[in-house]
Amino acid sequence: MSQTYGMESPREHTGSHLRKPARYLVVIEAGGYMIARLLLATREMVAEFDAAVEEVGSMTAGLVPVVGALGPEWDVALGGRSTEERANALVYTLDI
């Protein structure tokens, strides 16, 4: 029989690393809808959601976007998007 009486003692916290912060927010058209993608500084996508949510507005408040994501650095992150969609994409650099 165990000495925990059915309840396990909490484990000690480990010094694990936190997630890296998102560096870019890309608003791009996808099939007639605007979507937002959060990307790390390495341009690895960490989230994708509807660009109409109010959180997008709060994240981009006061930021000026760069229009277009046609450079080779965006090829992997926006692969599958047309040249026109990428040319019209709004790229926000988020404060970390």
Side-chain angles (χ1 to χ4, degrees), residues 25 27 36 38 47 49-63 92 94:
L25 175 76
V27 177
L38 280 174
F49 46 90
D50 184 2
V53 297
E54 68 180 79
E55 286 81 358
V56 172
S58 64
M59 282 190 280
T60 60
L63 298 177
Y92 294 92
L94 303 174

Side-chain angles (χ1 to χ4, degrees), residues 2-15:
S2 86
Q3 300 298 317
T4 59
Y5 300 104
M7 297 180 69
E8 186 175 332
S9 299
R11 293 188 175 104
E12 287 193 35
H13 294 282
T14 59

Side-chain angles (χ1 to χ4, degrees), residues 85-96:
E85 289 172 338
R86 289 179 58 176
N88 294 322
L90 301 176
V91 180
Y92 294 92
T93 302
L94 303 174
D95 296 328
I96 296 179

Side-chain angles (χ1 to χ4, degrees), residues 15-42:
S16 63
H17 297 288
L18 299 175
R19 290 187 223 172
K20 295 178 183 178
R23 182 72 173 137
Y24 301 103
L25 175 76
V26 178
V27 177
I28 190 167
E29 185 179 346
Y33 297 98
M34 297 302 286
I35 60 168
R37 287 186 172 187
L38 280 174
L39 303 146
L40 299 176
T42 60

